[in-house]
Amino acid sequence: MKSAARVSAVAEQKSDVLENVDYRLALTAEDKDEIYRLRYRAYLREGAILPSPSERVSDEYDDLPNSFIFGVYVNGELYSSIRISVLNSQWRRSLSSDMFADLLHPELDRGKIIIDPTRFVADHEKARLFPALPYVTVRLGYVACAHFNADIGLANVRPEHRAFYKKVFLQEPWGEPRLYSGLTKPVGLVAAHYPSIRDRVFQRFPFMRSSAFERRMLFDRPAPDAFTDSFRIQAVAKAG
């Protein structure tokens, strides 16, 4: 009941939920290090990892060209973080894509564009002060889906969270939980066909919408590269 009441309260909020929120793409070593330390604290607190002398969590996907690591800042302080990986037939490496290659690679072979948000972590104490934080953070996946004209939006979640993602974000279970290297608890895959569920999610949570300007600011590369060129070509092909 408490969870349902919180969902209802967040759903009733409009765009003002984003008033003091700043999404920052982690580009410098210092920005990334702050996020890696937040990951460590969050994972350690929930028992998902064992203690490590480095007190940081990073992996091979953090520096891939198709990965975007965001910090979510509220009133200038880091509250949460999420990594958005963008997949197509050419760029197909991500945490979920490697874990669930048998499920996702066939979709990429069919020409689908997939958004894979992973490494969603939050500062526990700060999250208690901002109940909408999970929604504000996950919103970046919806922004990415719109920007890249995605077919499928994923979430990589623990089994006990699958019911929440199905109820709130209309994502269905795709894969049984599997254990990723470095984690002590398995995670499962949930997914939705973005064009089919988009309007229903936006109707319930209007602040999930984004403008073209915001999408460009968050996801456009400062200079053309092979990654952005591949999606530009695919977008033209899909439009035609």
Side-chain angles (χ1 to χ4, degrees):
M1 292 296 292
K2 184 176 180 181
S3 176
R6 176 173 295 181
V7 172
S8 179
V10 172
E12 291 173 0
Q13 298 186 63
K14 307 302 180 183
S15 59
D16 61 344
V17 74
L18 301 172
E19 182 178 358
N20 299 311
V21 173
D22 183 21
Y23 297 122
R24 301 182 193 173
L25 183 63
L27 297 174
T28 68
E30 292 77 10
D31 289 342
K32 291 180 179 180
D33 189 64
E34 184 181 23
I35 287 171
Y36 297 159
R37 287 186 280 114
L38 173 61
R39 288 178 184 174
Y40 178 80
R41 295 193 303 271
Y43 287 143
L44 188 66
R45 188 182 187 283
E46 64 185 27
I49 60 172
L50 298 175
S52 166
S54 71
E55 298 187 350
R56 288 159 177 79
V57 171
S58 61
D59 60 34
E60 60 190 295
Y61 308 103
D62 284 323
D63 294 319
L64 292 180
N66 62 323
S67 291
F68 299 78
I69 303 173
F70 288 99
V72 180
Y73 293 78
V74 181
N75 293 318
E77 295 186 23
L78 179 63
Y79 270 51
S80 64
S81 175
I82 196 167
R83 180 177 63 206
I84 306 294
S85 297
V86 187
L87 310 176
N88 66 4
S89 58
Q90 181 177 347
W91 299 91
R92 56 177 63 209
R93 289 216 62 203
S94 75
L95 192 154
S96 297
S97 182
D98 283 357
M99 284 185 68
F100 298 93
D102 54 321
L103 302 176
L104 297 180
H105 282 225
E107 299 294 336
L108 297 172
D109 291 338
R110 297 184 187 102
K112 300 294 180 64
I113 295 175
I114 300 175
I115 301 299
D116 180 24
T118 55
R119 296 300 193 193
F120 173 19
V121 293
D123 182 286
H124 176 70
E125 294 302 322
K126 292 175 181 175
R128 293 173 60 187
L129 303 174
F130 188 24
L133 184 63
Y135 303 85
V136 167
T137 308
V138 170
R139 178 179 178 269
L140 282 162
Y142 286 86
V143 179
C145 281
H147 184 70
F148 292 100
N149 194 22
D151 300 286
I152 299 169
L154 305 177
N156 204 321
V157 302
R158 295 207 304 270
E160 61 267 29
H161 294 159
R162 288 194 296 184
F164 173 82
Y165 276 80
K166 180 176 182 179
K167 179 179 180 180
V168 177
F169 300 117
L170 309 178
Q171 291 176 304
E172 299 288 343
W174 266 32
E176 287 305 307
R178 303 177 185 181
L179 193 61
Y180 173 65
S181 176
L183 297 181
T184 62
K185 297 180 178 180
V187 292
L189 192 68
V190 296
H193 181 246
Y194 172 72
S196 300
I197 60 93
R198 172 186 56 208
D199 291 342
R200 283 180 287 168
V201 172
F202 289 169
Q203 183 176 9
R204 191 175 191 191
F205 303 101
F207 60 84
M208 290 288 184
R209 299 178 184 272
S210 59
S211 68
F213 175 76
E214 181 187 20
R215 295 192 289 269
R216 289 194 301 269
M217 290 296 293
L218 291 174
F219 289 103
D220 270 2
R221 301 292 197 191
D225 56 17
F227 166 75
T228 53
D229 285 346
S230 73
F231 280 91
R232 188 176 295 109
I233 292 170
Q234 188 163 359
V236 171
K238 288 178 71 173

